[in-house]
Amino acid sequence: DLIMLDAFDHEYIPEHLLTEEFLREVQTLLAPGGGLAANTFSSFPRTRQTEPALRLPLFLARGSFDLFHGTNYDMPRWGNVPSVVTIHDLSLLLHSDTHEPRLVERARGRFPAVIRSAKMIITVSESVKREIVEHLKAPPDKVAVTPNAHRSCFKPVPLEETRDTRKRLGIEDDFLLFVGTIEPRKGLLTLVEAFADLRQQKTLPPLVIAGAQGWLMDDFLSSVSALGLEDRIRFTGYVSDQDLTALYSSCVAFIYPSIYEGFGLPPLEAMACGAPVITSDIPVLRETVGTAACLVPPASKSQLAQAIMNVLEDKSYRERLSRAGLEHSKRFSWKRTARLTLDVYKEALSRRP
């Protein structure tokens, strides 16, 4: 069968889901004579957001595809090509106040159509599967879980080899780290408030926030300024995988106080690099990190502050978290994800009329 993977998304594209590793693993598992086409639609001129989606059925028909996989709840509006659709999370519905209203409205219009029309739905955690079944009323046997994985580039780097990266980014030897888009649902306000409270008790290493600017960034920066933390928080912006690996490998602790996730990839990447991880005690992150991280209730700055203090002051505890995280990260691989994805493709094709 000839399968098309659609990496196109107008606003949000989870790049890790179409890494070369994942595509290579899927291609390897396809039957001899089969094919895999990945198309980003970047060459398609458009004057409005929906135009590529309207062109998609014609594109599929001309290509004689047997199956379409939309990797971010996008699919052909009409046509006979069976579709598999990935829904990464339901934050646009369940935490709509943390997103731009136009994206929330878009999701509310798309999700019901996806549930009706797709032959199979992929999601990245059992937690999100339960949400899809409960809130979108999808049949449980129509929703399959294919967990994410960290890429092979994320592995421990000796401290000495991280010095040049940290020097270039203006980062001290000891630092705390957050990685992710700067947006409300990541719990960053709780983190900086906990950080501010701890500073009143003891001298802390700086907090490094690595990630692209997201929605309501200005509000967050105003909070940082009001707390008097401009000189102790370093914003790196987006960083390369090589730089990110160096930061994960050399931080004193990785902190990820998100209030909602579909999977929670940054904590897993940090674990794969040997970082001690502190993250939120929510169902999906319990699923991703298991017992290999320090879990704290979301939005509790006092308990987050205590967890940070415990990790900073107890070297043996840091080392235990580091070892546990490294071992736990080995449970995830793109090879396994590819096998599970191929099983979903086969099931979708078997459901053709």
Side-chain angles (χ1 to χ4, degrees):
D1 297 301
L2 187 62
I3 300 170
M4 178 180 175
L5 278 169
D6 168 31
F8 158 71
D9 186 82
H10 326 277
E11 299 291 338
Y12 163 77
I13 173 63
E15 295 175 357
H16 57 275
L17 289 181
L18 284 168
T19 63
E20 291 183 6
E21 293 175 47
F22 176 69
L23 293 174
R24 185 170 58 249
E25 295 293 350
V26 174
Q27 181 69 73
T28 300
L29 292 170
L30 286 172
L36 176 67
N39 190 299
T40 66
F41 287 82
S42 59
S43 62
F44 276 18
R46 66 181 190 268
T47 57
R48 61 186 185 276
Q49 193 178 59
T50 58
E51 187 176 354
L54 294 174
R55 291 186 181 190
L56 185 54
L58 297 176
F59 183 86
L60 291 174
R62 287 198 303 270
S64 300
F65 292 100
D66 299 287
L67 182 70
F68 172 82
H69 180 183
T71 59
N72 196 37
Y73 72 91
D74 214 348
M75 60 183 294
R77 301 292 175 85
W78 63 84
N80 297 319
V81 178
S83 293
V84 172
V85 176
T86 297
I87 297 176
H88 301 280
D89 61 63
L90 294 188
S91 64
L92 286 161
L93 300 184
L94 303 183
H95 294 273
S96 57
D97 59 319
T98 66
H99 292 277
E100 295 180 64
R102 64 188 179 88
L103 298 181
V104 173
E105 288 303 311
R106 177 175 158 223
R108 286 174 176 165
R110 281 193 192 178
F111 279 135
V114 165
I115 299 301
R116 287 193 306 269
S117 302
K119 293 298 181 184
M120 288 293 293
I121 297 163
I122 285 176
T123 193
V124 293
S125 65
E126 293 291 343
S127 297
V128 177
K129 175 177 179 174
R130 288 191 294 270
E131 292 170 355
I132 292 171
V133 171
E134 177 183 354
H135 296 282
L136 299 180
K137 309 304 179 187
D141 65 351
K142 195 175 184 177
V143 186
V145 176
T146 66
N148 291 338
H150 57 86
R151 285 165 285 169
S152 58
C153 64
F154 292 113
K155 54 190 175 183
V157 176
L159 183 62
E160 184 61 35
E161 295 179 20
T162 71
R163 294 192 190 282
D164 288 345
T165 296
R166 288 186 284 110
K167 182 178 180 180
R168 173 165 44 82
L169 294 174
I171 297 172
E172 300 174 16
D173 286 347
D174 293 332
F175 65 97
L176 303 169
L177 178 66
F178 167 89
V179 173
T181 303
I182 302 171
E183 58 183 354
R185 71 182 174 96
K186 297 302 181 180
L188 279 167
L189 185 56
T190 301
L191 174 55
V192 297
E193 288 177 345
F195 186 78
D197 287 352
L198 280 176
R199 279 195 74 203
Q200 297 178 8
Q201 304 173 37
K202 63 173 295 179
T203 301
L204 292 177
L207 171 63
V208 173
I209 296 178
Q213 297 185 10
W215 189 48
L216 297 181
M217 173 75 174
D218 290 343
D219 291 353
F220 175 66
L221 292 178
S222 296
S223 298
V224 171
S225 178
L227 291 167
L229 297 176
E230 298 102 317
D231 64 332
R232 298 306 291 163
I233 295 182
R234 174 78 173 94
F235 293 93
T236 68
Y238 178 83
V239 295
S240 68
D241 284 347
Q242 183 176 1
D243 288 348
L244 191 53
T245 301
L247 296 181
Y248 281 142
S249 298
S250 57
C251 66
V252 178
F254 175 76
I255 309 168
Y256 199 73
S258 180
I259 63 173
Y260 179 86
E261 294 289 322
F263 179 82
L265 192 61
L268 188 64
E269 292 173 345
M271 285 180 165
C273 295
V277 171
I278 301 170
T279 192
S280 296
D281 189 5
I282 56 178
V284 67
L285 287 173
R286 289 198 297 270
E287 188 178 336
T288 299
V289 304
T291 59
C294 173
L295 298 173
V296 297
S300 173
K301 69 173 183 178
S302 62
Q303 294 188 64
L304 179 58
Q306 186 60 55
I308 295 170
M309 181 78 80
N310 292 343
V311 170
L312 288 176
E313 294 189 340
D314 190 337
K315 181 180 179 181
S316 65
Y317 181 43
R318 290 200 305 274
E319 291 173 344
R320 288 199 304 273
L321 287 175
S322 175
R323 290 192 299 268
L326 271 171
E327 190 62 31
H328 179 76
S329 69
K330 296 175 184 178
R331 301 182 184 184
F332 298 83
S333 73
W334 284 118
K335 183 183 292 292
R336 175 172 177 256
T337 301
R339 289 197 188 100
L340 292 171
T341 302
L342 187 58
D343 289 342
V344 177
Y345 291 169
K346 291 176 179 176
E347 178 62 25
L349 290 168
S350 75
R351 296 187 178 196
R352 285 182 293 188

